[in-house]
Structure formats: C-alpha cells, structure tokens
C-alpha cells in the first residue's frame, strides 16, 4: 500500500522528500549497520538504527520495535524510522477504494442534467474566453449557451406486474408500492444466519421479511432456524467461522439462506458466498441491518430473493416480444480485471449471461457462464472453443440452455435472432470484437 508513496522527514531543520521502496527486515533496535566515526575513521563499528538517531540527532525513538522505512534503491537501502516520516500531501491515490469511500465518490460525482448544464455555463461565464487576447488573435469566439440538437423521446416499454397490472416507467423509474410480482417464488425451507454480534432481533427481521415477501406475491414460510454465531467463534479466521456456521445448518438442508453481516466490507462475505454458490449450491442473500428496517428496504431484499429463486419481478410486456418479431436470445458480456493491488499474474474473469426462454426472455432471468483468462485481456477467449474436435464454448452452452428451457414449436426454441450487449471495450477495439464473433 505504501510502495512509491512520497514522504518527508520531520527530524531535520530542512525536511527532505523520499520515496518508499519497502520496509526494513528487522525492528529499529535490532537493525544494525557499520558506521564510521569521524574520531576513528579506520575503525567502523556496528550501531543500531535506534542508537544512531539518538547519537546523531538526540532523538530517542518512541517505537524502537517498529520497522523502518526503506527509502533507498535496490541493493542500497536507506532506513528512516516510521515516526520521523510524514506522507506528502496531494499525492494521487491509485489503490482500490473501500465500499464506503466508493459510495461517497459516486455520491460526489452524481449530478442531475440541470446541475451539469449550470456547471458548464458558469465555467464559460467565469473564464471569459471571449476577452482572452490569444483567442481574439485567432478570431475565436464562444457561445455562452450550450448547443441545441434535435432529438426525439422514445416511449418506455410497459412493465407487467402480478394481477394483470401494467405500468409505464416515468423518468426511468418505477416502484412496487401496492404491487405484486409477476411470478412469485415459493420458499418452504430457509434459514437465517447472523454474523453480526450487535444484532439481537434476528427473529423479528425474519418475520418482517416474510410479511414483505408474501405481501408482494411470494409464498414464504417462517424460517426453520435462526442461528447466531457464538461469540467464541469470532476469534477464528473467516473461512473457519463460515464452516462452523454451516455445520449447525447441515441437518436443515435449506433451499435459501439469509445472512446478516456486520458491515458491507465484512470479511465473512467472500467465504460465505463461496460456500453457498460453489460448495453446496444454495441460493443466498446477504444484508446489513439498517438503522430503520422499513418496508422499502425489505421490498428491495424481496426483489433480489425472488429473482434468485426463479420468480419474475416486473418483466417487459409482450409488446416488446412483438417488436422483436421473432424468437430472440439476448446476451450480455463483460470482463472483470484484477485491481491495482492484485498480483500481476492474477487472471481476468470473463462473464457471459443469456436470457432463458422466449417470449419470456425479457423477464430478467438469465443463465450465466464464467471463465478465467489471461490478466488484463479484454477480448473473451471462451465464447467458442473446440473440445475433442467438437464445437463448444460459453455461447453454445447458453444456446442449449435456452433451447431446453423454451416450450412450444421448434422454431421458437431455436432463436432466430441474437442481440448482444458488450461492455468494457474501447472504440479502437470494436472491429477486433466483431472479428471474434
């Protein structure tokens, strides 16, 4: 995290700036080097870093057991105690943000179109480009108003809800107030696991969720169990904590698990999801107890749970199927790359999803395939590949799943039209992406 970060020293009258290259292998009190004294230049003696700073700068280290910063070059280390360094302000932070920082960044950057327009127009007014001598010499002038372009507003497709209700979104938004799902799933056997030691009302949360789900057309029974993690288990590593929790649940054999986590960045999340999705194959939903457990929050949970267990929330109306005209499968493709802190050899992850059936393929239910591929590679390798001389790959797998899920005549089960949404490629990669189709 600190590599290549600039620091300035605080023990000199004139501070110097250095770049961190690493840490010392030993603590300051144990880290020794040969020092030549001006009194005895021919007899260098070994001195620890802690003693050196006392002898030369009369500074007794507060933390002699801490390592020192290495601000030298490879093979020629220069060690400075941590307490005598201060990070230089204004450096560009390139490491991954935490969940809270990421949310704040998005909130800061979120602006309405009206706000963005005001920013642009005020920039033109404040900078007074028309009075700039250089621009005047070149005969340039600036219109203070934004350019006007011709446009047309497309009507949004209708959404279907349970009970035959239909609604058109307004300004890209809709809600589930007083509505039910187009198709609600049934959950007869499920459990709640609590990893948050501050949560003492898990039974009340479960009952509230049951009411919210059933209110929206799902058929959810009371949970078979509500298991709270024993306090003694919290000293174990995350993987072991999850394993011990699932040991308690083994005899219940749930089809769905709700997990209450202490915070959004909880170290439990990854091992818990891995256990559910990879090891035992059961649907799960994580939540962090909000300050106010209201119907809107529970409704958002119900939306996610219903889709995960095969329900339809609010599919597009069949008017969209009429618009597409013929049997259509919709693909979505993207590649996720390792973060800046990851190992350079960490693979990229390619994901492809596809609608499951026609004409209900606009319902929001998708099949998914995931593959690893070389790091930082944007083109997806596994779309088509030959296995033992036979064609295969992620696209073929998803087409077969579409065929098996569809009902009706053969011409509907085999899509006549393919729509692909591809995210994450630059304009210079368009042709390369098309050549790989």
């Amino acid at each position: 995290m600190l590599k290549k970060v600039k620091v300035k020293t605080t023990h000199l009258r004139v501070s110097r700036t250095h770049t961190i290259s690493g840490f010392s292998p030993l603590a300051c009190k144990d880290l020794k080097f040969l020092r030549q004294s001006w009194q005895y230049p021919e007899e260098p003696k070994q001195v620890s870093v802690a003693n050196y700073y006392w002898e030369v700068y009369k500074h007794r280290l507060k933390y002699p057991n801490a390592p020192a910063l290495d601000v030298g070059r490879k093979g020629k280390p220069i060690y400075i105690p941590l307490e005598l360094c201060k990070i230089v302000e204004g450096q560009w932070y390139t490491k991954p943000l935490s969940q809270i920082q990421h949310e704040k960044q998005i909130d800061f950057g979120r602006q309405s179109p009206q706000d963005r327009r005001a920013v642009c127009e005020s920039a033109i007014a404040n900078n007074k480009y028309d009075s700039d001598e250089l621009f005047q010499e070149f005969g340039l002038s600036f219109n203070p108003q934004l350019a006007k372009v011709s446009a047309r507003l497309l009507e949004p497709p209708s959404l279907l809800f349970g009970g035959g209700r239909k609604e058109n979104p307004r300004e890209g938004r809709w809600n589930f107030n007083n509505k039910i799902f187009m198709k609600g799933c049934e959950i007869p056997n499920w459990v709640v696991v609590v990893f948050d030691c501050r949560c003492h009302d898990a039974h009340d949360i479960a009952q509230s969720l049951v009411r919210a789900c059933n209110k929206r057309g799902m058929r959810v029974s009371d949970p078979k169990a509500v298991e709270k993690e024993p306090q003694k288990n919290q000293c174990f590593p995350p993987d072991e904590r999850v394993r011990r929790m699932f040991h308690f649940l083994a005899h219940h054999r749930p089809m769905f698990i709700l997990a209450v986590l202490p915070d959004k960045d909880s170290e439990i999340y990854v091992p818990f999801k891995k256990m559910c999705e990879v090891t035992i194959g059961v649907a799960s939903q994580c939540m962090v107890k909000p300050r106010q457990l209201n119907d809107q929050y529970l409704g958002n949970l119900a939306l996610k749970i219903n889709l995960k267990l095969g329900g339809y929330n609010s599919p597009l109306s069949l008017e969209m199927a009429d618009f597409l005209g013929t049997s259509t499968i919709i693909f979505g493709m993207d590649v996720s790359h390792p973060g800046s802190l990851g190992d350079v050899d960490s693979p990229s992850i390619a994901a492809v999803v596809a609608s499951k059936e026609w004409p209900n393929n606009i319902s929001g239910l998708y099949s998914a395939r995931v593959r690893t591929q070389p790091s930082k590679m944007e083109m997806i390798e596994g779309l088509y590949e030959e296995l033992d001389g036979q064609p295969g790959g992620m696209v073929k797998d998803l087409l077969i799943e579409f065929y098996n899920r569809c009902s009706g005549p053969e011409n509907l089960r085999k899509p006549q039209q393919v729509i692909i949404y591809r995210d994450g490629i630059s304009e210079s990669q368009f042709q390369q992406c098309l050549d790989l189709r």
Side-chain angles (χ1 to χ4, degrees), residues 148-154:
K148 294 182 178 181
V149 296
S150 299
R152 59 195 178 101
L153 186 63
L154 299 178

Side-chain angles (χ1 to χ4, degrees), residues 281-299:
V282 62
S284 63
Q285 177 64 48
C286 295
M287 64 168 286
V288 176
K289 183 184 174 183
R291 293 181 179 178
Q292 185 177 8
L293 192 71
N294 53 34
D295 186 67
Q296 181 178 354
Y297 179 87
L298 294 169

